[in-house]
Amino acid sequence: MPETIKKGKVFVWEGETRKGFLTELSNFVEEVGKALKVKEEELCDMQVAIGEAAANSQEHSYEGQRGRLRLEILKDKGRIEICVTDWGKSSPDVEKVPEPKIVPDLAEVDLEGLGMMMIRRAMDEVEFSITSKGGHAVRMCKRIR
């Protein structure tokens, strides 16, 4: 399952955004977290952030259709580095997506931006980029104890 690279071990999941893929992805992240001896709270944060990034790829880049997705997880020097990459349609500037306003009446909450808020709060660093091969990448880091 893992590939060896200069920085350490990288765990890779490749698949498609299809029915049930988020469960498969979450199970993979749990296995990797256990292999890397990540604490449960940190693992939960990783699963939330990765799940949201993958769901955003399916919804926005692939407009609900099937599409290729790659997840890479690397543990290096007290942190977990994660990259979720898709090759779908380019999305608007995700860096500028505002956090939703949470109000007492949940029926009035506009959920646009909720996933991005969850990713930013779960991870210590979040960065969006275009890859050299035309993909869209979300790079996230989590400091671990």
Side-chain angles (χ1 to χ4, degrees):
M1 174 161 64
E3 298 174 17
T4 302
I5 61 172
K6 287 182 183 177
K7 285 185 171 179
K9 286 185 178 178
V10 62
F11 294 82
V12 178
W13 180 95
E14 287 191 24
E16 284 191 331
T17 59
R18 66 192 182 323
K19 185 176 182 176
F21 90 100
L22 289 173
T23 300
E24 183 181 323
L25 199 57
S26 181
N27 291 339
F28 173 78
V29 174
E30 185 172 358
E31 288 177 27
V32 170
K34 287 179 182 177
L36 297 177
K37 297 180 174 53
V38 175
K39 295 189 183 291
E40 190 172 335
E41 180 181 328
E42 294 158 343
L43 176 58
C44 233
D45 286 344
M46 289 169 51
Q47 285 176 304
V48 165
I50 291 167
E52 283 299 324
N56 283 344
S57 289
Q58 181 181 36
E59 181 180 348
H60 301 291
S61 291
Y62 295 119
E63 298 176 327
Q65 304 300 311
R66 285 179 178 245
R68 187 171 145 222
L69 194 72
R70 179 179 173 94
L71 166 65
E72 298 174 36
I73 302 174
L74 167 72
K75 181 178 179 183
D76 188 41
K77 298 178 184 172
R79 56 194 260 147
I80 300 288
E81 297 177 19
I82 298 164
C83 185
V84 178
T85 306
D86 71 55
W87 288 266
K89 182 182 107 179
S90 183
S91 297
D93 192 355
V94 291
E95 301 263 7
K96 295 179 181 173
V97 172
E99 287 194 8
K101 290 186 170 87
I102 307 300
V103 295
D105 185 355
L106 293 180
E108 295 178 14
V109 175
D110 179 2
L111 298 180
E112 188 67 31
L114 184 61
M116 293 303 304
M117 180 182 83
M118 292 169 63
I119 291 170
R120 288 182 178 118
R121 291 195 180 173
M123 303 304 288
D124 296 309
E125 299 171 30
V126 180
E127 172 186 299
F128 303 91
S129 63
I130 304 295
T131 70
S132 61
K133 296 181 181 177
H136 308 101
V138 181
R139 297 185 188 286
M140 304 174 275
C141 294
K142 180 77 175 167
R143 286 184 288 280
I144 56 174
R145 297 174 288 205

